Amino acid sequence: MKNQTKKILSLLAAAILLLASAALVSCQKSLPVIGINQYAQHPSLDNCRTGFLAGLAEAGLTEGKDFTVDVQNAGADDNLNAQIASTFASKSAALMVGIATPSAMACFNAAEEKDIPVVFIAVTDPAAASLTEGNVTGTSDRLPVSAQLELIRKLQPDAKTIGILYTLSEPNSVSAIAEYKEKAPSYGFTIEAVGVAAQSEVPLAADSLIAKKVDCFSNLTDNGVVDVLDSILEKTNAAGIPVYGSEVEQVKKGCVASAGIDYYKLGIQTGKLAAKILRGEAKASDLPFESVTEYEIYLNEAACGELNVSVPADVAASAVKADA
Amino acid sequence: MLEVRDIRKIYNPGDVTEICVFDGFSLAVPDGEFLSIVGSNGSGKTSLLNLICGSIRQDGGTILVGGEPVDRQKDYVRARRIGRVYQNPALGTCPQMTILENLSLAEGKGRPFGLSFGVRRGRIEYYRDLLRDLGLGLEDKLSVKVGSLSGGQRQALALLMATMTPIDFLILDEHTAALDPHTAETIMLLTDRLVREKRLTAMMVTHNLRYAVEYGSRLIMLDKGRVVFDCAGEEKKALKTEDVLGLFNRISVECGN
Amino acid sequence: MLDVLVSALTQGLIYAILCYGLLISYKILDFPDLTVDGSFPLGAAVTAVLITNGVHPLLTLPIAMLAGALAGLATGLIHVCLKVRDLLAGIITMTALFSIDLKIAGSNLPIPRGTDTVFTAPFLDRLFGPVSLSLKKLILSCVIALAFKFLLDLYFKTKSGMLLRATGDNSVLVTSLAQSEGKMKILGLVLSNSLVALCGAVVCQEQRSFSSTMGTGQMVLGLASVIIGLTVFKKLSFVKLTTAALVGSILYKLCIQAAILAGLDPSLLKLITAILFLAILAVGSLERRKGGKARA
């Protein structure tokens, strides 16, 4: 019996030692630490992160000299997401960065006690996520819905219905659908939105939209849908229906066009914002969140050609070519 | 009084594995009788016990306890008036719980299990006396988990638990079959004593013909769902194990076994 | 360093409530209950909606428990009355709860900083005086975890609690005691899921947000913690099951914390959890074989 107790005690001691050594290693540096909590492995979110670091550099801050970064990826796991954020707070990070809404919310919550400034990137609706009050600022990736509708009207003058796929569990998608439905009539469109509860249902939902004979698809920044974009494109290409993306990566994959956000640029914009806070020039609580005001039009000419979408000369001239 | 009237039971009806165990089987067990049931495998002994306890449902006929039909009662409702001990000692006790907790559970049988304390301090001496009567030295092991007892000790405990509260019937389902001969003898003696002391009506299924002959007031032999031998009273007292064995072998040969 | 320990400890203590729930369904009833993945966010959804509508944060906890109890009741009835297999019954309720959670709270629901949670409510200041938030979180989660541990220990000693333990141990005996095994299973699931929902509610208040996906993997997480706890204390019969669950939960969270601190690749984290899990189970079964004591 005593032997067992000893065993357990030593096990506990080992766990604590492991923790202590890990903590010591990570605490050795005295430079201010920027804790970056990225919600999931995703090209757009990766662009946000690299853009953010580039933005800091553009603002004159050098990694290793002015700050160090601790990048963590939550792998879309809500438990891990919360624990990463609280770890940053426990280690008294100088600044916490949340990429995508869940991570931003977790960081902001964990930062409450020590009042660590939080900067978010790619939060579509900061007000709905309660990220407008307090020591927090960042950039919103609200979709340029009007610009997208205008673009679709120019490329497909006869189109009547736009099909949209979205995942019910993504709040950004739900609010974006509402905006689409509100603005579509003024461009002469009706919206056919199909929501799914799980990613596995996306192909079925795509089939149902195709069966409803929508004139085109328009994508949101919905991870559940974007992750399986290739299989959606296979179906729509076979049916001869063009798909409009919500950002450049989707156009590269084969969407015809997009009035969209460049997440790398969004990252740079946020990096510059963060630099102000790090330098002590401004407080996060005093900086209102920023939205992207300028959108690029991205065009995949090969896809347009295949689907017989004729691109007006003015659009073609101003657009960024984003063929694969 | 337990009456089984015109029972029909078919396993897997409509299937190639269809087996008709009982077709028009009847049996009456008067109060105070200790009935031993013998018979070859598949003769319907255990099925009969399961039908009486409600573990399986008959396809026809009716079962009466004290003149009242119990066909609509679920197994756990019938269990209020029935104590049952199984062949496997593990089925009559809770291995992860102590002897004390097991006895406390058994004493609460049939009443609601509410939020009062499960083990009552005042009853410990009473339990100790009951265990002392078993003569297995369990009275000093009240806080030992039942899982660490031997098969015989567990079966003795199961027997004690099954008869702790007032019951109409005690059903013994080959309850000595999994024990070594010496332990089986001890358990059998204990069973006989408990049945006498508490004046229980008991039904015992056994493969041990000697036990069937030596104990109990009536013996029946089942074959293919029918009673082929039934003796009681003085006739039973005069019965020899060899006679039953002879009969048993004759029937088995007729069956082609 | 101390801060890191405090935060891991707090997480472990909060998740101990989930582990108690799994202790009842998995260890005591031997019921692999996947309802957990749905009742956990259910508790969170209920508490988030109530708090943002101005209900006192403490009051939302029993209401969340009630919601969880209903979820457990659903699984129990599906399993007992409709005779659906245990795993499937849980999956059915979990799937239904996904929609119900969404209907209750919408897809995500933050609790803004201005709104009090149990961790920031004024009554805590009166109780503990002016201490830091992380300390308040630690103390409160410790109080909740220990309170439910003692309540459960007490319950397991009552007649009803003993019968519940007997149900998982030997269901035949429960029938012999003239009690309905089905009713006991339902009772166990109700208890278990009310605890799980309570944990969901506390987690939601602690991290100030509900998300519809927060239930994913909770059953496995809880199970891993419970099994770690049970394995560590296997040979110590005097250690109560609830203590094992509590310690298991803390150990699990400490391990995850260490992995984060060590900068482990998060995409590998689940694999490492699985390997750790397997190692614990394998060591457990090897020891049993060596001991040669094959007892049910």
Side-chain angles (χ1 to χ4, degrees):
Chain A
M1 198 70 90
K2 253 190 188 154
N3 216 353
Q4 282 302 316
T5 326
K6 245 188 218 164
K7 234 187 206 174
I8 287 152
L9 280 178
S10 53
L11 205 83
L12 270 169
I16 290 170
L17 257 174
L18 188 72
L19 204 66
S21 53
L24 271 178
V25 168
S26 54
C27 290
Q28 269 169 356
K29 309 141 192 167
S30 55
L31 288 174
V33 176
I34 302 179
I36 300 181
N37 182 2
Q38 183 179 332
Y39 186 61
Q41 211 88 46
H42 189 285
S44 307
L45 300 185
D46 290 342
N47 286 346
C48 288
R49 193 190 65 239
T50 45
F52 176 80
L53 294 174
L56 284 175
E58 272 183 36
L61 295 174
T62 323
E63 187 181 344
K65 206 179 100 211
D66 301 306
F67 65 90
T68 59
V69 281
D70 184 353
V71 178
Q72 298 283 349
N73 190 315
D77 178 331
D78 289 299
N79 276 318
L80 194 55
N81 181 28
Q83 204 160 353
I84 287 172
S86 67
T87 309
F88 285 161
S90 315
K91 285 158 72 180
S92 297
L95 180 77
M96 284 157 80
V97 179
I99 303 178
T101 311
S103 287
M105 283 167 76
C107 284
F108 186 51
N109 179 52
E112 182 176 6
E113 185 190 1
K114 294 188 179 165
D115 205 30
I116 298 168
V118 172
V119 170
F120 57 80
I121 318 176
V123 171
T124 303
D125 194 346
S130 294
L131 292 171
T132 46
E133 300 287 323
N135 201 1
V136 59
T137 187
T139 51
S140 157
D141 64 346
R142 183 175 278 277
L143 286 171
V145 173
S146 299
Q148 179 93 340
L149 288 167
E150 200 182 320
L151 175 70
I152 298 174
R153 185 45 82 214
K154 276 182 184 161
L155 298 193
Q156 289 181 271
D158 305 322
K160 287 187 189 69
T161 49
I162 301 174
I164 302 179
L165 296 169
Y166 70 104
T167 316
L168 288 167
S169 56
E170 296 203 23
N172 294 344
S173 304
V174 178
S175 65
I177 290 284
E179 196 180 344
Y180 259 101
K181 282 191 172 156
E182 186 196 321
K183 290 182 173 161
S186 40
Y187 293 91
F189 291 118
T190 50
I191 301 293
E192 276 285 354
V194 176
V196 297
Q199 195 168 50
S200 54
E201 294 160 22
V202 171
L204 287 176
D207 286 336
S208 81
L209 276 181
I210 292 170
K212 281 180 184 165
K213 304 219 180 306
V214 295
D215 296 300
C216 66
F217 277 45
S218 184
N219 281 345
L220 311 176
T221 45
D222 187 303
N223 293 326
V225 175
V226 173
D227 288 348
V228 290
L229 184 60
D230 292 309
S231 80
I232 298 173
L233 285 172
E234 241 174 58
K235 290 173 188 286
T236 51
N237 285 345
I241 298 173
V243 176
Y244 295 84
S246 60
E247 41 105 18
V248 59
E249 299 293 334
Q250 295 174 27
V251 180
K252 283 183 191 162
K253 275 190 173 175
C255 291
V256 287
S258 163
I261 305 157
D262 184 333
Y263 279 98
Y264 185 75
K265 284 187 187 161
L266 191 71
I268 292 181
Q269 191 178 344
T270 323
K272 288 178 178 165
L273 205 61
K276 284 188 203 166
I277 299 165
L278 280 176
R279 285 219 181 88
E281 291 165 12
K283 283 201 156 141
S285 44
D286 300 331
L287 294 169
F289 75 87
E290 297 176 5
S291 295
V292 185
T293 42
E294 286 170 33
Y295 303 100
E296 297 283 1
I297 303 289
Y298 300 100
L299 208 57
N300 185 330
E301 287 181 320
C304 288
E306 269 175 46
L307 292 162
N308 299 322
V309 174
S310 51
V311 184
D314 62 322
V315 177
S318 67
V320 179
K321 309 287 181 286
D323 286 38
Chain B
M1 178 82 164
L2 168 80
E3 267 188 281
V4 175
R5 269 192 212 154
D6 209 18
I7 285 288
R8 212 155 61 83
K9 177 67 196 172
I10 301 165
Y11 285 115
N12 308 323
D15 202 274
V16 278
T17 57
E18 179 179 299
I19 300 167
C20 180
V21 193
F22 294 117
D23 194 8
F25 179 85
S26 296
L27 179 74
V29 185
D31 287 342
E33 192 170 82
F34 186 165
L35 173 70
S36 308
I37 306 172
V38 295
S40 54
N41 291 325
S43 59
K45 303 182 306 288
T46 299
S47 291
L48 179 62
L49 298 189
N50 282 336
L51 283 166
I52 292 170
C53 292
S55 316
I56 56 172
R57 292 297 169 100
Q58 69 266 30
D59 298 307
T62 182
I63 296 170
L64 301 108
V65 175
E68 299 280 323
V70 294
D71 304 318
R72 302 181 72 97
Q73 290 182 356
K74 291 214 165 107
D75 52 356
Y76 68 89
V77 179
R78 293 189 205 181
R80 257 178 232 162
R81 302 156 76 176
I82 301 176
R84 187 172 184 179
V85 183
Y86 296 83
Q87 176 179 357
N88 181 356
L91 290 179
T93 49
C94 269
Q96 308 262 7
M97 296 165 89
T98 64
I99 294 182
L100 181 60
E101 287 171 320
N102 269 281
L103 289 174
S104 304
L105 277 176
E107 206 184 10
K109 170 170 171 170
R111 279 180 305 211
F113 279 71
L115 290 177
S116 56
F117 271 105
V119 176
R120 284 182 295 163
R121 295 262 152 244
R123 301 297 286 169
I124 289 181
E125 273 315 307
Y126 168 64
Y127 296 152
R128 207 163 259 154
D129 287 343
L130 287 179
L131 291 168
R132 199 171 289 124
D133 274 352
L134 295 180
L136 294 169
L138 292 178
E139 61 271 21
D140 302 322
K141 295 187 174 174
L142 274 174
S143 52
V144 167
K145 285 198 176 153
V146 172
S148 62
L149 300 181
S150 70
Q153 288 173 320
R154 283 182 74 166
Q155 199 65 319
L157 193 63
L159 199 56
L160 186 61
M161 285 167 66
T163 56
M164 238 174 138
T165 47
I167 46 169
D168 291 351
F169 298 105
L170 177 63
I171 287 188
L172 304 162
D173 188 358
E174 299 185 35
H175 72 305
T176 57
L179 307 172
D180 68 70
H182 178 72
T183 313
E185 197 72 48
T186 315
I187 294 295
M188 206 48 236
L189 280 169
L190 178 68
T191 310
D192 193 48
R193 206 183 79 211
L194 282 171
V195 170
R196 276 172 207 278
E197 277 174 8
K198 302 192 181 233
R199 299 173 194 283
L200 296 171
T201 310
M203 294 175 77
M204 174 173 75
V205 162
T206 181
H207 279 302
N208 188 321
L209 297 182
R210 187 169 65 80
Y211 289 164
V213 172
E214 277 176 24
Y215 299 95
S217 55
R218 179 180 171 196
L219 185 152
I220 62 172
M221 186 181 291
L222 291 187
D223 180 52
K224 293 182 202 153
R226 286 170 298 118
V227 176
V228 291
F229 179 72
D230 188 345
C231 95
E234 292 304 315
E235 195 192 339
K236 164 81 172 32
K237 281 181 189 156
L239 200 65
K240 296 259 173 6
T241 310
E242 297 78 54
D243 306 340
V244 184
L245 187 63
L247 183 67
F248 193 89
N249 287 337
R250 213 161 53 241
I251 289 166
S252 296
V253 169
E254 276 170 25
C255 293
N257 285 358
Chain C
M1 174 57 204
L2 198 64
D3 281 353
V4 179
L5 256 181
V6 164
S7 109
L9 213 55
T10 308
Q11 293 285 327
L13 286 165
I14 292 176
Y15 276 90
I17 310 168
L18 173 87
C19 296
Y20 300 153
L22 277 158
L23 193 69
I24 294 176
S25 56
Y26 166 77
K27 175 69 189 165
I28 292 178
L29 279 185
D30 199 16
F31 191 109
D33 181 23
L34 272 170
T35 318
V36 170
D37 281 17
S39 50
F40 183 84
L42 176 68
V46 167
T47 203
V49 167
L50 290 174
I51 283 195
T52 46
N53 280 301
V55 178
H56 192 280
L58 261 184
L59 188 60
T60 68
L61 298 181
I63 301 175
M65 283 182 85
L66 208 64
L70 287 176
L73 183 67
T75 303
L77 289 175
I78 290 170
H79 174 61
V80 172
C81 297
L82 304 179
K83 311 247 182 295
V84 176
R85 285 231 319 257
D86 45 12
L87 205 60
L88 293 176
I91 290 174
I92 288 168
T93 315
M94 175 191 78
T95 311
L97 281 176
F98 190 85
S99 295
I100 293 169
D101 296 345
L102 277 174
K103 274 288 162 227
I104 291 176
S107 53
N108 273 26
L109 189 65
I111 303 172
R113 259 192 204 180
T115 315
D116 273 336
T117 66
V118 282
F119 297 105
T120 58
F123 77 91
L124 274 186
D125 293 332
R126 286 201 294 276
L127 273 177
F128 303 142
V131 291
S132 70
L133 181 65
S134 61
L135 208 58
K136 261 196 279 189
K137 281 183 177 177
L138 178 69
I139 296 171
L140 192 64
S141 50
C142 194
V143 167
I144 296 176
L146 287 179
F148 276 89
K149 182 195 132 51
F150 288 122
L151 274 177
L152 274 179
D153 286 344
L154 213 57
Y155 171 69
F156 287 144
K157 283 188 183 151
T158 65
K159 286 189 171 174
S160 168
M162 269 168 57
L163 194 65
L164 186 72
R165 281 157 64 202
T167 309
D169 210 6
N170 181 358
S171 58
V172 173
L173 183 73
V174 174
T175 309
S176 297
L177 292 171
Q179 306 296 328
S180 157
E181 185 204 341
K183 275 184 205 155
M184 289 318 290
K185 275 194 177 169
I186 293 175
L187 176 69
L189 289 171
V190 164
L191 272 179
S192 155
N193 280 293
S194 61
L195 287 170
V196 172
L198 174 68
C199 180
V202 176
V203 167
C204 169
Q205 297 199 20
E206 198 271 327
Q207 63 192 36
R208 284 188 175 278
S209 72
F210 158 80
S211 84
S212 59
T213 53
M214 72 192 285
T216 315
Q218 295 296 358
M219 192 240 184
V220 175
L221 180 152
L223 211 57
S225 309
V226 168
I227 289 176
I228 288 175
L230 290 176
T231 312
V232 167
F233 289 123
K234 198 173 52 194
K235 295 260 173 69
L236 302 178
S237 55
F238 58 86
V239 172
K240 293 201 172 72
L241 288 178
T242 45
T243 315
L246 179 72
V247 174
S249 173
I250 293 172
L251 280 179
Y252 182 86
K253 285 289 176 183
L254 282 178
C255 289
I256 300 288
Q257 185 80 305
I260 293 175
L261 285 176
L264 218 63
D265 183 352
S267 47
L268 286 177
L269 200 63
K270 294 264 155 145
L271 181 66
I272 290 166
T273 312
I275 292 170
L276 189 79
F277 205 10
L278 183 68
I280 288 171
L281 288 177
V283 166
S285 74
L286 278 181
E287 267 183 19
R288 222 173 307 139
R289 226 177 302 161
K290 238 192 296 175
K293 273 188 259 170
R295 283 218 164 106

